[in-house]
Amino acid sequence: MSCKKSNVPPAEDLDIPALRERYKAEREKRLFRDGQKQYVRPQGGAVADYSIDPNIEMKPREPINDEIDVVVLGAGWGGVLASYYLTQQGVSDFCNIDTAGDFGGVWYWNRYPGIQCDNESYCYLPLLEETGFMPSKRFADGEEIQGYTRKIAEKYDFADKALFHTQITSLTWDEAIQRWHVGTNRGDDIKARFVVMANGVLNMPKLPSIEGMEKFKGKLFHTARWDYDYTGGSYSNPVLDKLKDKKVALVGTGATAVQAVPFLAQYCEQLYVVQRTPSTVDARPNPPTNEEWLASLQPGWQTERMANFHRGAMESYGPGDTDLVCDFWTEISRNLKEELDAEGWPELSMEEMLARRDVMDYRVMERMRRRVDELIENPELAEKLKPYYNFMCKRPLSSDVFYPAFNQDNVELIDVSETRGLQQLTEKGFIANGKEYEADCIIFASGFEVTSALERRWGIDKIEGRDGLSLYDHWRDGPQTLHGTMTHGFPNQFYIGYIQGGLNASVTEQFGRQGEHIAYIIAEGLKRGVTALEPSQESMDAYTDHFKATQIDNSEFLNICPPSYFSNEGANSHEWGLFRQWGAGWNDFMQTLKAWRDEGHLAGLDIRGKQETE
């Protein structure tokens, strides 16, 4: 496929210094000094408890008090991939535990109308060659993605082992039996040799902490718990016909809102879209999977495609590279490569290359802003919907129908940047910018806890390792690990997520490779009769020091961005930032882990059990 430079305005047409100042002003206008304190967890009351599943009825069962080799906390992509790699290592005595009623994680809970993958399915959906599955179109629907997670579990024989509708409430290391006590809200005390924390980054819904939430007499819900009984329609057929006489407010303009707004606009009597910061929304061509292209694929195609996507989205293309994905995620790198091709690839210092990339960022963002003018009929409205920040400050999105929805007479954008959100709810509606709006229903598209403190994100009351040490206290100032997957003082416990490791443009590839590394260590421990293993203090300190000394420092970038979950709502420090990564890059990190595994000594781990006496 031929993929050329996009049609961005020339640099000389832009006043980049003025835009830089505009970006700063827009950030300052939206910065909320209370950070994460502006959000609360939905735990019942005005908004339904996040832990209650509206999709599948919970079945009663007796408490479990068994022993097991491995508990995998989570049944989303992290948990599914950890389980897959356990099966590849010959480990079979494990189970997934999840609060949901089935596999899928965020793809189980998120059933709002219009939900699709927002980067290319051929990269995002893992194990396509291994399973023989192929998504039906470029940006797969959420229902198809959730179904695929279950297909993987069924194909590799771990679907029937899972404990669903089960919330882990405590994880406590028992030194006497060298196992973890896994306590749950179902009265379980499962004694696990190993625990894999694969509970996801889009796990805990959050709500704006708005005065008057309990006063509102209408309907309130979070998009991760969409109420089709109220709106009409269903997950498979989102015809929201019960909203035809309803005034509805949707709070948020991020990834969820961009997909849900067109459906709400089609059915509501009146839709208010409440916006703090506009998103970057590009075109979304979403054709069915091409059968001719499918027949042409050679073994190893997905690995090659994911690597190509990662270079384009997170690193850079070099001479001879072709952009295989060819979308907005890879646009900056693709455009730079085309320009450098035309110049014969002059020798540039790192500073010069970054400066060129910065200019291209401004050009691409200007193209995005001009797209708003092309699609929005009202110039004043168009200006409010334009993103004034760098490309990766907020998750970039795509939709062909989001902007046109605002041209409808029944859709009104309410920009709350000046007040940094809604001011309060009332019995009849809400107050924004000093004006009361009547509403029958308020829907929160306010996302999840992603980069906030662990207690907020994980929702587990107690995680205690050796000598009663709390993991929350141990990592109070940020993670300390070996390989981003284990920590001293917490034997046989492993972590999947954005924790001191390599960063890949596809979250499923990143989580999968973490699961692969973890599965190897667990399998080796079981083969060698080990009862407990953990990083030594020295190996953990050495790895953590090396990671911190060599990581790419992106704090300056995050601190010029408007508040979002990328930057922990504008926090000055970013201990849990998504973009803290191994300094030498993804490929080097993968090679480092592979070399460690190939050496076969489990270097840096304190080991108890059979191997101690050998």
Side-chain angles (χ1 to χ4, degrees):
M1 180 179 71
S2 176
C3 184
K4 299 297 183 183
K5 177 182 174 184
S6 62
N7 186 24
V8 294
E12 53 268 24
D13 284 4
L14 306 180
D15 186 344
I16 291 178
L19 282 171
R20 190 172 287 117
E21 291 304 311
R22 174 74 182 271
Y23 286 11
K24 290 179 183 178
E26 294 292 333
R27 175 188 191 269
E28 187 63 28
K29 183 167 67 174
R30 292 170 172 83
L31 195 59
F32 196 88
R33 302 301 178 187
D34 287 344
Q36 284 295 338
K37 293 179 182 179
Q38 67 188 289
Y39 293 108
V40 295
R41 183 184 302 167
Q43 292 183 290
V47 180
D49 190 328
Y50 75 93
S51 65
I52 296 174
D53 185 358
N55 306 308
I56 295 177
E57 183 180 357
M58 184 173 74
K59 297 178 180 178
R61 63 170 176 81
E62 292 298 314
I64 297 171
N65 292 281
D66 294 342
E67 292 188 351
I68 193 170
D69 282 341
V70 189
V71 160
V72 179
L73 172 52
W77 278 124
V80 166
L81 290 167
S83 298
Y84 163 78
Y85 282 107
L86 285 170
T87 68
Q88 300 307 289
Q89 289 286 348
V91 179
S92 59
D93 186 23
F94 68 86
C95 73
N96 298 82
I97 299 180
D98 202 294
T99 55
D102 201 351
F103 290 94
V106 71
W107 296 104
Y108 176 86
W109 293 112
N110 269 349
R111 300 181 178 219
Y112 58 81
I115 181 172
Q116 292 181 337
C117 189
D118 63 3
N119 58 299
E120 188 189 75
S121 304
Y122 313 124
C123 290
Y124 178 77
L125 297 186
L127 307 177
L128 294 182
E129 290 188 80
E130 290 84 350
T131 62
F133 179 81
M134 184 59 71
S136 61
K137 52 190 173 184
R138 189 180 187 194
F139 298 98
D141 293 336
E143 190 169 20
E144 183 176 54
I145 297 171
Q146 190 275 323
Y148 179 49
T149 62
R150 168 155 277 279
K151 287 180 187 294
I152 294 172
E154 291 170 348
K155 181 177 178 64
Y156 295 100
D157 297 322
F158 58 88
D160 293 338
K161 301 177 182 180
L163 294 177
F164 291 119
H165 288 145
T166 302
Q167 171 71 41
I168 290 180
T169 55
S170 64
L171 293 167
T172 309
W173 176 254
D174 189 330
E175 189 71 20
I177 62 173
Q178 300 282 283
R179 287 179 179 269
W180 285 94
H181 287 280
V182 181
T184 77
N185 65 342
R186 307 292 292 272
D188 305 314
D189 180 18
I190 302 169
K191 289 166 276 295
R193 179 72 68 201
F194 299 95
V195 172
V196 181
M197 306 290 288
N199 40 332
V201 292
L202 300 178
N203 167 53
M204 186 66 67
K206 64 183 183 182
L207 296 169
S209 179
I210 303 173
E211 180 186 348
M213 192 87 79
E214 301 293 334
K215 294 180 180 178
F216 181 61
K217 299 298 186 183
K219 181 70 175 178
L220 295 172
F221 61 87
H222 192 282
T223 50
R225 303 295 185 270
W226 193 274
D227 191 338
Y228 282 105
D229 287 340
Y230 181 84
T231 65
S234 66
Y235 184 28
S236 301
N237 185 32
V239 177
L240 313 181
D241 50 1
K242 291 184 180 180
L243 299 180
K244 61 183 179 181
D245 60 348
K246 298 290 192 297
K247 295 181 174 65
V248 177
L250 182 70
V251 181
T253 50
T256 298
V258 164
Q259 295 181 115
V261 159
F263 285 84
L264 291 168
Q266 181 180 352
Y267 292 102
C268 293
E269 175 187 306
Q270 174 68 46
L271 174 62
Y272 299 112
V273 180
V274 181
Q275 169 187 278
R276 181 179 67 172
T277 307
S279 287
T280 299
V281 187
D282 202 8
R284 175 173 285 200
N286 195 14
T289 296
N290 184 283
E291 293 297 326
E292 184 177 344
W293 170 74
L294 184 58
S296 73
L297 297 175
Q298 300 298 311
W301 71 268
Q302 191 182 27
T303 298
E304 178 188 3
R305 194 175 188 89
M306 287 191 297
N308 182 274
F309 174 62
H310 174 72
R311 288 199 302 279
M314 300 296 297
E315 295 176 355
S316 62
Y317 290 128
D321 273 333
T322 298
D323 184 354
L324 298 178
V325 174
C326 198
D327 69 1
F328 60 98
W329 289 97
T330 58
E331 180 180 3
I332 291 175
S333 292
R334 177 173 71 252
N335 287 357
L336 273 178
K337 176 197 171 294
E338 290 290 326
E339 290 191 350
L340 292 170
D341 276 347
E343 296 170 19
W345 284 88
E347 290 190 15
L348 298 174
S349 67
M350 179 61 72
E351 291 75 15
E352 289 170 326
M353 179 61 83
L354 291 174
R356 290 279 294 263
R357 188 177 185 87
D358 185 51
V359 171
M360 184 57 71
D361 191 307
Y362 280 98
R363 295 169 67 187
V364 166
M365 290 302 291
E366 183 62 24
R367 179 187 71 77
M368 299 283 195
R369 289 188 286 270
R370 293 181 183 183
R371 180 173 185 267
V372 182
D373 288 325
E374 293 168 3
L375 295 174
I376 297 293
E377 296 168 1
N378 183 319
E380 183 179 346
L381 174 60
E383 192 61 29
K384 291 179 181 178
L385 285 163
K386 291 179 182 178
Y388 282 95
Y389 46 77
N390 291 102
F391 180 69
M392 281 300 293
C393 278
K394 284 174 63 71
R395 184 173 181 85
L397 307 170
S398 60
S399 171
D400 292 340
V401 290
F402 174 69
Y403 288 136
F406 287 93
N407 294 324
Q408 297 178 204
D409 292 338
N410 67 323
V411 179
E412 180 178 345
L413 180 75
I414 302 176
D415 184 273
V416 293
S417 56
E418 295 290 348
T419 55
R420 298 168 177 83
L422 290 181
Q423 292 169 287
Q424 66 182 85
L425 301 191
T426 65
E427 287 190 9
K428 296 181 178 180
F430 61 93
I431 295 176
N433 303 318
K435 177 182 175 181
E436 183 172 11
Y437 295 81
E438 289 190 6
D440 300 292
C441 174
I442 299 175
I443 305 170
F444 294 100
S446 44
F448 298 84
E449 304 281 3
V450 176
T451 51
S452 52
L454 285 184
E455 291 98 326
R456 292 179 65 101
R457 283 187 277 149
W458 286 1
I460 300 172
D461 297 334
K462 181 171 67 172
I463 306 176
E464 290 184 354
R466 186 175 289 115
D467 300 324
L469 175 63
S470 166
L471 183 64
Y472 298 136
D473 291 336
H474 182 50
W475 281 0
R476 185 66 60 194
D477 297 321
Q480 306 172 70
T481 72
L482 177 66
H483 302 159
T485 55
M486 299 184 73
T487 191
H488 179 69
F490 294 80
N492 297 0
Q493 189 173 78
F494 302 87
Y495 315 102
I496 288 177
Y498 291 88
I499 303 171
Q500 279 191 346
L503 181 65
N504 193 276
S506 179
V507 65
T508 51
E509 171 68 356
Q510 179 172 325
F511 287 4
R513 295 307 172 191
Q514 290 171 336
E516 178 183 40
H517 189 61
I518 290 166
Y520 166 82
I521 299 172
I522 291 174
E524 286 300 306
L526 292 171
K527 289 174 190 173
R528 302 179 193 195
V530 169
T531 59
L533 47 79
E534 64 182 293
S536 67
Q537 182 73 48
E538 293 75 20
S539 66
M540 182 186 74
D541 289 346
Y543 178 86
T544 300
D545 290 345
H546 176 77
F547 182 89
K548 290 180 177 179
T550 60
Q551 71 174 331
I552 298 171
D553 183 4
N554 61 3
S555 57
E556 182 178 353
F557 171 77
L558 290 175
N559 289 337
I560 64 172
C561 291
S564 74
Y565 72 80
F566 276 15
S567 63
N568 195 13
E569 299 303 326
N572 291 323
S573 59
H574 307 283
E575 291 82 6
W576 294 102
L578 293 181
F579 304 128
R580 299 176 74 240
Q581 60 175 303
W582 183 257
W586 174 256
N587 290 336
D588 183 82
F589 186 67
M590 289 295 96
Q591 291 165 8
T592 298
L593 296 190
K594 184 177 185 301
W596 185 89
R597 295 194 298 268
D598 288 347
E599 193 176 52
H601 301 311
L602 302 181
L605 298 185
D606 284 338
I607 296 174
R608 300 186 183 191
K610 184 178 178 181
Q611 185 169 343
E612 289 181 304
T613 60
E614 293 181 349

